[in-house]
Amino acid sequence: MTQPAETAGRPGGRGRPVLLTVDDDPGVSRAVARDLRRRYGDRYRVVRASSGEEALEALRELKLRGDPVAALLADYRMPQMNGIEFLEQAMDLFPRARRALLTAYADTDAAIQAINLVDVDHYLLKPWEPPEEKLYPVVDAMVETWLASPDAALADVRIVGHPWSAPSFAARDFLARNAVPYRWYSAEEPEGRRLLEAAGAGPDDVPVIVPPSGEALFSPTEAELAAAVGLTVEPSTDFYDLIVVGGGPAGLGAAVYGASEGLRTVLVERQATGGQAGQSSRIENYLGFPDGVSGGQLADRARRQAAKFGAEVLTARKVTTLETQGPARVVRFADGGCIAAHAVILATGVAYRQLEAEGAGALTGRGVYYGSAITEAAACAGEHVYIVGGANSAGQSAVFFARHANCVTLLVRGTSLEASMSHYLIQQLAAIPNVVVRTGTTVVAARGEDHLQELDLRDTTGAVETVPASHLFVFIGAAPRTEWLDGVLARDRLGFLPTGPDLVVDGARPPGWPLQRDPYFLESSAPGVFVAGDVRAQSVKRVASAVGEGAMAVTLVHRFLGDR
């Protein structure tokens, strides 16, 4: 790896977080490295490169050694690979590293473009003299944000498991969806066996998770795993202004707007922020991102934005009960704990329906997956992947896995994609040579011993074809997660939550409604309990509308609080 002599052999340098700069102008490169060492050299290792390719090679070596990278500063105008192109590729290696673009005044339009394209945090105009006023405040903000991310403390989380173990997959998926970096070791490989032996465990104890503390966890629950890797699982207080239940786009939107408008806000998510949208490999029709954005990146930005405004985010906490106790709304957790607030926004989203195919349930997590399960991408290399579903999420997954698998077959029950999928995605799929769309096809059986090996596919004539398959990703239907609200709030026949005007029938307010006004637009059948996003009856199932409803719900919360 190319780096200055003064940092290459410095005692204790290895293992410290890295600040990497890349600029093809030797004078500028030396100047930025000098200024960074002057302020951060006692805590960070400054690495500089003279080209994007050289910087990527340095990042690959850092990745292999397990060294954390806190921030990347790249010049925009470089030959062969400009700064935006470098930062876009660097995100694949260190997605949580903070990013800044060094640019001249004439290139500020490019810097603004980069904010959308590669989630650039800042851009710096050259020259930045004096650094105390123009450089250090920007780098300070980047470092502070990175220190608050899992990368800062969790770069050495290790998982040992079996490739076809459902619990092992669940642990990897949980960490990946919560943007916690980890290293995966198969229990069949030498390094995996060494880790198991060091932890005093055997092959039957997997998954074994070793956090930075070194205290191994054996088949932990999600709550135990979340606590061990530094995610917040306990509330800081027992009473808030606003509780948001669910961390998808609607919930994150509500948390951002609630906290930014001065409400003491806590968001409770049972697994990972982002919801179904967070599993999307690329969302291309979301306003303001002309080049698309992955669901994970969008969720990460929203999560950081909520935290910036002071919202708490509790992970791996399942809400099981909602109660009204006088002016307070109380939510109870599965572990017996509870918190209360003046108002609640329910943004619990929907879950993919289970595949009603013989043998599919037993193979879940062992070849049959719900959602994109992006952690399986590497295992799909050279394989024939099958995807069930005809909506946007299935199409986005097909585009993603086509970059890894030898062939991707999209299995659609309907006669065409036009009724359920966006036009831009249909066009993309048609242009990808290794994607096959089979309409009028359903999965009737899944078979395999320790993992998925075969599928039975039925067409509209009733004929059944058996095909070899190792990976099946399911995106069928949308079932609301509202069983825990039965008898508490009004639900429609499908389990969705009606709100506002839908609750007023022939001028009559919902049964038990205690107020002398009709429910507000997003208000449920219980005053002070609002609903946003996909779980709401008659909602538009799109990311943008969910975010908008989350913001609108906060406005109605303020109106509700003002009525009291």
Side-chain angles (χ1 to χ4, degrees):
M1 179 172 63
T2 302
Q3 58 183 6
E6 62 267 32
T7 61
R10 190 170 178 170
R14 180 174 176 174
R16 285 186 296 163
V18 168
L19 304 177
L20 185 143
T21 73
V22 52
D23 198 306
D24 64 316
D25 185 321
V28 174
S29 180
R30 285 192 298 269
V32 69
R34 176 202 65 213
D35 289 341
L36 289 176
R37 284 196 301 273
R38 183 181 302 161
R39 185 176 181 95
Y40 306 100
D42 59 331
R43 293 160 290 154
Y44 294 86
R45 186 155 53 103
V46 177
V47 175
R48 59 186 176 93
S50 59
S51 70
E53 285 293 348
E54 185 179 299
L56 287 175
E57 182 59 33
L59 290 178
R60 293 186 189 102
E61 186 171 337
L62 290 167
K63 188 74 171 180
L64 288 175
R65 291 191 343 210
D67 289 348
V69 175
L72 305 168
L73 293 87
D75 180 49
Y76 171 63
R77 286 186 176 273
M78 294 188 294
Q80 285 80 50
M81 180 186 297
N82 67 35
I84 296 176
E85 293 167 338
F86 161 71
L87 290 173
E88 187 171 22
Q89 294 190 46
M91 286 172 65
D92 294 332
L93 294 167
F94 290 94
R96 299 302 291 269
R98 300 299 97 205
R99 296 170 284 276
L101 196 68
L102 306 179
T103 180
Y105 181 78
D107 295 323
T108 51
D109 286 345
I112 294 171
Q113 172 194 356
I115 292 174
N116 282 340
L117 184 63
V118 293
D119 195 11
V120 167
D121 298 286
H122 298 277
Y123 65 90
L124 284 163
L125 293 177
K126 298 187 291 185
W128 51 81
E129 297 293 338
E132 289 77 10
E133 295 181 11
K134 297 183 178 180
L135 175 65
Y136 295 152
V138 169
V139 178
D140 284 347
M142 294 168 67
V143 166
E144 288 172 7
T145 301
W146 180 80
L147 286 171
S149 75
D151 266 3
L154 306 175
D156 290 324
V157 176
R158 290 165 288 176
I159 304 178
V160 185
H162 295 301
W164 295 112
S165 159
S168 297
F169 163 74
R172 288 188 292 134
D173 189 58
F174 177 81
L175 293 179
R177 292 185 61 191
N178 280 287
V180 176
Y182 66 86
R183 301 183 192 180
W184 162 257
Y185 301 90
S186 171
E188 286 81 23
E189 297 174 352
E191 184 60 24
R193 290 196 295 268
R194 283 192 288 269
L195 284 171
L196 288 178
E197 183 178 356
D204 295 334
D205 296 318
V206 298
V208 174
I209 289 88
V210 185
S213 66
E215 298 180 7
L217 305 175
F218 306 102
S219 300
T221 65
E222 286 186 348
E224 292 169 339
L225 180 55
V229 300
L231 298 174
T232 303
V233 295
E234 294 293 338
S236 64
T237 185
D238 57 3
F239 196 90
Y240 296 83
D241 293 321
L242 173 63
I243 298 171
V244 180
V245 183
L252 288 167
V256 167
Y257 280 92
S260 68
E261 294 176 11
L263 297 177
R264 290 175 299 165
T265 302
V266 60
L267 184 151
V268 183
E269 167 55 44
R270 71 174 190 168
Q271 189 175 41
T273 52
Q276 285 188 354
Q279 299 182 68
S280 175
S281 56
R282 200 153 194 85
I283 302 169
E284 297 193 58
N285 58 352
Y286 187 66
L287 184 68
F289 292 87
D291 297 290
V293 60
S294 76
Q297 291 172 3
L298 190 63
D300 175 58
R301 294 176 73 165
R303 182 172 50 237
R304 289 191 283 118
Q305 195 172 14
K308 181 185 78 170
F309 289 120
E312 292 181 37
V313 178
L314 306 184
T315 306
R317 298 303 295 268
K318 182 180 179 181
V319 176
T320 58
T321 308
L322 172 64
E323 302 173 359
T324 297
Q325 297 181 2
R329 277 70 187 152
V330 180
V331 297
R332 299 190 182 277
F333 302 130
D335 62 3
C338 69
I339 53 177
H342 294 301
V344 171
I345 295 176
L346 300 174
T348 50
V350 293
Y352 292 117
R353 287 193 169 91
Q354 298 296 295
L355 181 66
E356 294 181 2
E358 179 185 348
L363 293 170
T364 299
R366 298 189 294 128
V368 177
Y369 306 97
Y370 289 86
S372 287
I374 292 175
T375 54
E376 292 299 301
C380 293
E383 300 290 336
H384 189 157
V385 169
Y386 289 84
I387 296 173
V388 183
N392 279 8
S393 53
Q396 290 160 352
S397 183
V399 172
F400 171 76
F401 281 108
R403 300 198 294 266
H404 302 271
N406 182 53
C407 181
V408 175
T409 296
L410 189 62
L411 305 173
V412 184
R413 182 177 58 181
T415 58
S416 71
L417 292 173
E418 278 72 13
S420 55
M421 188 177 292
S422 294
H423 179 66
Y424 82 90
L425 261 179
I426 296 174
Q427 289 183 311
Q428 281 189 19
L429 293 175
I432 302 175
N434 62 330
V435 171
V436 177
V437 179
R438 289 183 53 167
T439 57
T441 305
T442 57
V443 179
V444 293
R447 287 187 295 275
E449 295 184 10
D450 62 336
H451 64 91
L452 177 66
Q453 295 172 306
E454 290 181 341
L455 294 173
D456 284 350
L457 308 180
R458 177 183 292 152
D459 63 21
T460 53
T461 69
V464 176
E465 176 189 2
T466 299
V467 297
S470 60
H471 291 80
L472 176 71
F473 300 93
V474 182
F475 300 84
I476 53 172
R481 297 168 172 167
T482 59
E483 297 82 0
W484 60 286
L485 293 167
D486 189 29
V488 179
L489 300 181
R491 303 192 301 156
D492 67 14
R493 61 183 182 83
L494 297 177
F496 292 94
L497 302 176
T499 61
D502 293 335
L503 292 168
V504 180
V505 181
D506 297 328
R509 296 172 181 135
W513 182 260
L515 304 180
Q516 297 303 309
R517 62 164 176 83
D518 290 348
Y520 293 134
F521 182 68
L522 298 180
E523 198 167 19
S524 72
S525 59
V529 177
F530 298 84
V531 186
D534 290 359
V535 72
R536 189 177 69 84
Q538 308 301 322
S539 66
V540 179
K541 305 299 188 284
R542 287 291 185 268
V543 175
S545 61
V547 173
E549 288 192 6
M552 185 190 302
V554 172
T555 298
L556 297 175
V557 166
H558 281 292
R559 186 181 301 177
F560 168 76
L561 295 177
D563 290 342
R564 300 171 65 177

